[in-house]
Amino acid sequence: MNRLVARRNLYSNHDQLKFTWKRGYCSGGEAAAAAGSSASSGHLNHDEHGTFSGNEQPYDLAIVGGGMVGMALACSLATKPLTKHLKVAIVDSNPALANKLSIKMEDPPDPRVSTVTPATISYFQDTGAWQYVQQHRHAYFDKMQVWDYTGLGYTTYDARDVDKDVLGCVVENRVLHSSLLSRIEDTDFQKTIYPSRLASMIRYPSSSVKADGNTREASYAKAGLVKLEMSDGSSLYTKLVVGADGAKSQVRNLAGFRTTGWNYSQNAIICTVEHYVANHTAWQRFLPDGPIALLPIGNNFSNIVWTMNPEQSSDLTAMNEDEFVKAVNHALDHGYGPHPKSSFSNGTNKFSFLGGNLTMSINESFEVPPKVVKLASKRAAFPLSLMHANDYIAKRIVLIGDAAHAVHPLAGQGVNLGFGDAFTLSRIIGEGVAVGTDIGEASLLRKYEAERKPANVAMMAVLDGFQKLYSVDFGPLNALRAAAFHAANYISPLKRSIISYASGEQRLPMFP
Amino acid sequence: MAAKLLSRLRQLDTRLISPQHQRPFFRNARLFSGQQIPSSDSHPSLPPTPTPTPTPLPPPTAGSAGEKRQRTSSLKDHELAKFAAISDTWWDSEGPFKPLHAMNPTRLAFIRSTLCRHFSKDPNVPKPFEGLEIVDVGCGGGILSEPLARLGATVTGVDAVEKNIKIAHLHADLDPTTSTIDYVCTTAEKLVEEGRQFDAVMSLEVIEHVADPAEFCKSLAALTRPGGAVVISTINRSIRAYAAAIVAAEYILHWLPRGTHQWSSFLTPEELVMILKRSSIDVEEMAGFVLNPLTGKWLLSDDVSVNFIAFATKKAEG
């Protein structure tokens, strides 16, 4: 009998304890606490756990790095019914996040641009952010010409080869970023911006029960939540940390992810140039030291991405503007080697036995890119490297974008891989919420890794292969490359496959 | 295949097979299977743990439902640490409960779609089960109960093994959304005696461990409100299931400890439908779980020959 009484007393004590602990979660207005508290409403009075400041509620996600890829993830979560209720913290010291800078059409184009593939465009359209991109300068292109300095071959790609209207669209990075931000502002997505840098990350393994009472911190630690501490002293707890902070990712370093990669011993110079006429084609010429690409941005402007040795890049950035324009025209036109011959092979195509519809672009002859008239921005140079994180996930941590992989810019794929990561992760989080999973669970994150890693690695292998293939000037290799140009130009099924892989419609090369 | 099976079963005239005939079969099957059966009839439903000898426990003190709950804070800190260490294996998705964790999202997908359709809830919201009271009979460590709570349901988790309830409670308290789950160490029959009723009754991977499935189904039916739902999942008594669930899973791949399942206590879909029908529960949908050996993913399919799940409803009154 006494034991029963003792047990009853313990129960009532626990009700009290349990209720005050639950009150910690009440300050955010969570309805869950109400369910357990009906029995012990009389014990509200003593509050032994100090103040509960609203900032220390655990977040569902913390996106470290509010760049294009981080904001793409936030935008995608904000616009889907299953995920728009998630509480998200964004850690980035960029002031553009808090006060959106307005970009006017009259502003000169920023040289930092990206080529977005049709797959990325459709992701943006699904979230509703593409309408904002269309309000600023953007340039669709439907043709692309690739050749090299040997003059032995060239390939022209046309969007109509795959029955599409565009091969891609060139947009300034700041436009993409602000479009995603605008779309998020439209929704009532609960996001909190922490305008500082990540200083440290503490992840508690759930078995280390540091029982220092029932403080909120101890309970978060027991739950295995991640604690992020920022350089300005603020801190937050979250169920999932998303590292979207670029190639020198702090999240990746703090979490101890190992990476594989190498430097390319090449620098890329980027700048904006102007022509007399509008440019609607993307041009890429492989030179002995690296490719030069001319991408249309709109309104007679184009963007140059010129890869070369570090010594040459410092020379070219140092020389005056007229000299530089001359060098660019030289590189795009007659410099380093002759023009390839257009093969108008009298109407008969050697490869027509392969069947299939002939692509339209077979009959297009070689064209010289439009002449650059003047430089429209400062020149910037940065080193190139390849980097791939061996794992994209750990418990409660996931990497997306450049934090997970960095590639050569020669095919404009880098940020598209990042957007692919962001939108895939958002979809997988939605699937997890649909079946009540804790979004930081490793099994859910592994689904994301299993989907993105093969695609990213395949693309990186292809790009790295191209980079190596074109960096050697060796007779037989030149002939091989020329044969490759001819094959890509005249074998229609191959050309279609290349276009659809580069457009993001096909996930892996070679497999339909 | 599941759809054809269901239509065949609906046409079956159950009066041809009398209830008297069925019950001895089940009881004999249990006697010959070598399964551990407690001699007293006060524990008709066995716990679904893989440990071959479930610890028999005295039933909790009778009283109001509020006082029956076992509390973890009545234990000292060192005991908490001990339970915390054990709780990792229930919740260790690479540990001995790995198949259950792998199957969980698939089962939840089935439950979500059938319950949303039955209760006319919008499936496109993060908490479609808001306002529903669900009981998870044989909840174990709470692998099913926690996602159900995250989907908005008011969940009561029931298990006859006190250890499991403690583990479930410890783990659920880590997340504020799941800390509202009411874990009780009791049996379905005791809940019926208390007169509790729920909108939906879940009993996944339990009925193959129960001494008398027919009585168990009667209890499940009594726990369901009229117009409510019952979801049962189990393993089919087929040759393929013997090869897959017993030989492969227990002896070759060591996914489960040996002796977890007895082939003779598996139920075929037809038997399950019939014993539910006798408790006035109509099976409306059935699906099978199939494991893709290459990807390691479980998928819903029409193939009910090994694992299958059934969604049933109780007729609304009037």
Side-chain angles (χ1 to χ4, degrees):
Chain A
M1 181 56 197
N2 289 339
R3 269 191 27 228
L4 278 176
V5 169
R7 213 182 265 176
R8 219 160 277 189
N9 285 340
L10 282 171
Y11 290 151
S12 60
N13 277 347
H14 179 82
D15 278 345
Q16 185 178 319
L17 206 61
K18 192 164 182 163
F19 181 70
T20 45
W21 185 15
K22 281 222 186 67
R23 276 187 72 217
Y25 299 118
C26 241
S27 54
E30 298 215 40
S37 64
S38 48
S40 22
S41 49
H43 300 278
L44 281 182
N45 302 334
H46 61 276
D47 172 4
E48 24 191 66
H49 300 298
T51 53
F52 299 125
S53 54
N55 276 348
E56 290 183 22
Q57 289 277 359
Y59 289 94
D60 292 305
L61 261 118
I63 303 179
V64 180
M68 287 190 286
V69 175
M71 286 297 105
L73 175 65
C75 184
S76 179
L77 291 174
T79 51
K80 292 210 315 267
L82 281 172
T83 50
K84 61 184 186 186
H85 67 290
L86 294 175
K87 279 176 48 206
V88 171
I90 301 175
V91 179
D92 196 319
S93 50
N94 182 0
L97 282 181
N99 335 304
K100 242 173 19 118
L101 46 90
S102 62
I103 306 167
K104 296 192 250 312
M105 277 290 242
E106 310 85 60
D107 289 346
D110 195 74
R112 283 164 303 179
V113 303
S114 300
T115 314
V116 287
T117 56
T120 304
I121 296 176
S122 66
Y123 281 136
F124 270 67
Q125 282 169 335
D126 288 341
T127 58
W130 191 251
Q131 51 178 331
Y132 293 105
V133 173
Q134 289 174 313
Q135 290 168 8
H136 296 96
R137 189 186 294 110
H138 63 289
Y140 290 105
F141 62 94
D142 56 354
K143 269 180 55 185
M144 183 163 169
Q145 182 176 288
V146 184
W147 72 113
D148 71 353
Y149 64 96
T150 58
L152 294 172
Y154 71 101
T155 312
T156 318
Y157 299 100
D158 194 313
R160 282 164 295 176
D161 294 343
V162 287
D163 301 320
K164 292 262 157 57
D165 293 324
V166 296
L167 286 176
C169 187
V170 184
V171 191
E172 291 160 67
N173 289 353
R174 60 184 182 170
V175 168
L176 287 170
H177 191 234
S178 78
S179 309
L180 291 165
L181 273 177
S182 305
R183 183 66 188 110
I184 297 176
E185 302 286 314
D186 280 352
T187 66
D188 49 5
F189 193 52
Q190 285 172 292
K191 68 177 196 308
T192 315
I193 298 178
Y194 282 77
S196 70
R197 286 190 62 248
L198 179 67
S200 75
M201 186 165 68
I202 307 167
R203 198 180 11 153
Y204 300 99
S206 49
S207 53
S208 74
V209 176
K210 293 191 284 280
D212 48 334
N214 274 325
T215 61
R216 202 212 289 253
E217 277 67 39
S219 67
Y220 292 161
K222 269 188 273 183
L225 296 184
V226 183
K227 181 176 185 190
L228 296 181
E229 279 162 2
M230 265 56 74
S231 51
D232 65 356
S234 54
S235 68
L236 61 89
Y237 284 91
T238 178
K239 290 186 193 159
L240 177 65
V241 178
V242 179
D245 42 354
K248 299 191 189 60
S249 166
Q250 181 75 315
V251 172
R252 195 185 66 228
N253 293 335
L254 289 174
F257 283 104
R258 289 213 304 272
T259 62
T260 314
W262 46 84
N263 289 326
Y264 278 129
S265 66
Q266 282 180 322
N267 285 2
I269 296 184
I270 55 167
C271 61
T272 316
V273 296
E274 209 177 333
H275 309 283
Y276 285 133
V277 295
N279 176 20
H280 293 294
T281 310
W283 311 89
Q284 176 144 300
R285 188 181 190 208
F286 286 93
L287 303 174
D289 292 307
I292 177 168
L294 185 76
L295 304 166
I297 324 182
N299 311 124
N300 294 7
F301 288 108
S302 288
N303 183 270
I304 299 255
V305 180
W306 194 351
T307 309
M308 61 189 69
N309 298 336
E311 309 85 54
Q312 285 178 303
S313 76
S314 42
D315 289 341
L316 278 165
T317 25
M319 63 170 66
N320 70 40
E321 296 195 359
D322 295 324
E323 299 267 333
F324 181 76
V325 166
K326 269 213 268 281
V328 166
N329 282 325
H330 185 74
L332 286 172
D333 200 346
H334 286 288
Y336 304 93
H339 287 165
K341 281 194 294 294
S342 315
S343 337
F344 263 121
S345 40
N346 306 342
T348 58
N349 184 358
K350 287 194 283 293
F351 295 104
S352 56
F353 67 89
L354 283 169
N357 298 326
L358 286 181
T359 53
M360 286 214 48
S361 46
I362 280 183
N363 294 327
E364 279 164 23
S365 56
F366 176 79
E367 285 174 29
V368 180
K371 201 162 141 76
V372 169
V373 171
K374 72 183 185 64
L375 197 59
S377 78
K378 287 205 186 38
R379 289 156 276 174
F382 52 92
L384 301 176
S385 60
L386 176 98
M387 185 276 296
H388 188 248
N390 293 352
D391 298 295
Y392 290 3
I393 61 149
K395 191 147 190 268
R396 298 204 184 277
I397 300 179
V398 62
L399 299 176
I400 59 174
D402 275 3
H405 43 77
V407 299
H408 198 280
L410 65 82
Q413 293 293 333
V415 81
N416 292 293
L417 293 179
F419 284 133
D421 290 350
F423 290 107
T424 303
L425 181 62
S426 147
R427 197 190 78 235
I428 299 231
I429 290 178
E431 287 172 6
V433 169
V435 286
T437 328
D438 177 6
I439 58 175
E441 249 181 62
S443 54
L444 188 70
L445 302 177
R446 219 166 278 131
K447 274 175 33 173
Y448 154 78
E449 188 184 42
E451 208 174 306
R452 288 309 299 172
K453 217 189 212 179
N456 289 341
V457 169
M459 177 64 82
M460 288 173 67
V462 166
L463 295 179
D464 194 52
F466 273 118
Q467 195 272 337
K468 295 199 160 35
L469 188 67
Y470 283 97
S471 54
V472 180
D473 183 15
F474 182 52
L477 197 58
N478 294 354
L480 179 70
R481 294 202 301 254
F485 275 126
H486 280 112
N489 204 18
Y490 296 113
I491 301 181
S492 308
L494 178 63
K495 179 181 282 191
R496 279 199 203 97
S497 159
I498 291 174
I499 294 178
S500 78
Y501 181 56
S503 304
E505 313 289 345
Q506 199 174 301
R507 220 167 63 88
L508 296 169
M510 300 311 153
F511 292 107
Chain B
M1 181 188 147
K4 272 209 308 218
L5 185 68
L6 275 179
S7 56
R8 249 194 319 142
L9 290 165
R10 288 207 186 97
Q11 290 157 19
L12 203 65
D13 187 8
T14 57
R15 280 176 303 154
L16 289 175
I17 305 164
S18 67
Q20 265 68 35
H21 220 70
Q22 282 291 331
R23 240 176 251 153
F25 170 69
F26 279 121
R27 218 171 261 146
N28 286 342
R30 289 289 177 276
L31 290 172
F32 287 125
S33 71
Q35 194 174 9
Q36 322 264 353
I37 307 170
S39 48
S40 73
D41 272 332
S42 61
H43 297 279
S45 53
L46 280 178
T49 57
T51 55
T53 49
T55 50
L57 289 160
T61 53
S64 68
E67 285 184 300
K68 268 180 61 164
R69 296 163 203 166
Q70 303 292 324
R71 298 298 190 195
T72 54
S73 72
S74 57
L75 301 164
K76 300 191 199 61
D77 279 322
H78 71 264
E79 290 217 276
L80 270 178
K82 185 175 73 170
F83 285 123
I86 306 171
S87 70
D88 280 347
T89 56
W90 250 110
W91 284 96
D92 179 9
S93 44
E94 301 299 318
F97 292 100
K98 185 172 173 184
L100 216 52
H101 282 281
M103 240 201 294
N104 209 30
T106 323
R107 321 192 279 191
L108 281 159
F110 178 84
I111 291 171
R112 188 172 204 268
S113 71
T114 48
L115 255 56
C116 280
R117 214 176 310 132
H118 180 71
F119 292 107
S120 308
K121 299 277 186 187
D122 179 10
N124 271 332
V125 292
K127 288 187 194 273
F129 293 163
E130 207 127 56
L132 286 182
E133 287 181 352
I134 304 188
V135 64
D136 182 6
V137 179
C139 60
I143 293 181
L144 179 72
S145 310
E146 287 196 13
L148 288 175
R150 283 199 198 97
L151 290 172
T154 311
V155 181
T156 305
V158 165
D159 201 278
V161 176
E162 165 116 27
K163 212 185 336 178
N164 290 342
I165 294 291
K166 284 203 172 75
I167 292 165
H169 208 112
L170 267 177
H171 193 270
D173 275 343
L174 298 177
D175 182 350
T177 344
T178 54
S179 56
T180 55
I181 299 176
D182 185 16
Y183 283 114
V184 195
C185 179
T186 178
T187 62
E189 288 67 24
K190 289 249 161 19
L191 279 183
V192 172
E193 279 171 32
E194 289 169 27
R196 296 196 60 182
Q197 284 205 318
F198 301 88
D199 296 311
V201 174
M202 308 273 143
S203 185
L204 304 190
E205 312 297 322
V206 177
I207 199 166
E208 66 261 25
H209 299 277
V210 160
D212 190 346
E215 284 299 319
F216 183 66
C217 284
K218 277 216 168 61
S219 308
L220 294 182
L223 286 173
T224 320
R225 292 206 178 103
V230 177
V231 180
I232 294 183
S233 89
T234 183
I235 306 178
N236 197 342
R237 193 177 68 248
S238 63
I239 304 295
R240 248 180 96 183
Y242 184 76
I246 297 191
V247 175
E250 293 181 15
Y251 290 85
I252 299 179
L253 297 168
H254 300 298
W255 284 351
L256 299 168
R258 288 185 198 180
T260 306
H261 290 125
Q262 297 296 327
W263 186 77
S264 48
S265 50
F266 289 164
L267 290 177
T268 64
E270 294 93 341
E271 285 165 4
L272 182 66
V273 171
M274 268 193 283
I275 59 178
L276 283 173
K277 207 176 163 80
R278 274 192 280 112
S279 312
S280 314
I281 304 278
D282 303 310
V283 174
E284 289 188 13
E285 254 184 83
M286 210 183 289
F289 290 133
V290 165
L291 175 66
N292 180 340
L294 296 173
T295 59
K297 290 208 185 89
W298 287 88
L299 299 161
L300 286 172
S301 92
D302 274 340
D303 179 7
V304 294
S305 56
V306 186
N307 294 74
F308 68 96
I309 186 167
F311 165 76
T313 53
K314 187 172 182 178
K315 273 196 260 292
E317 256 159 23

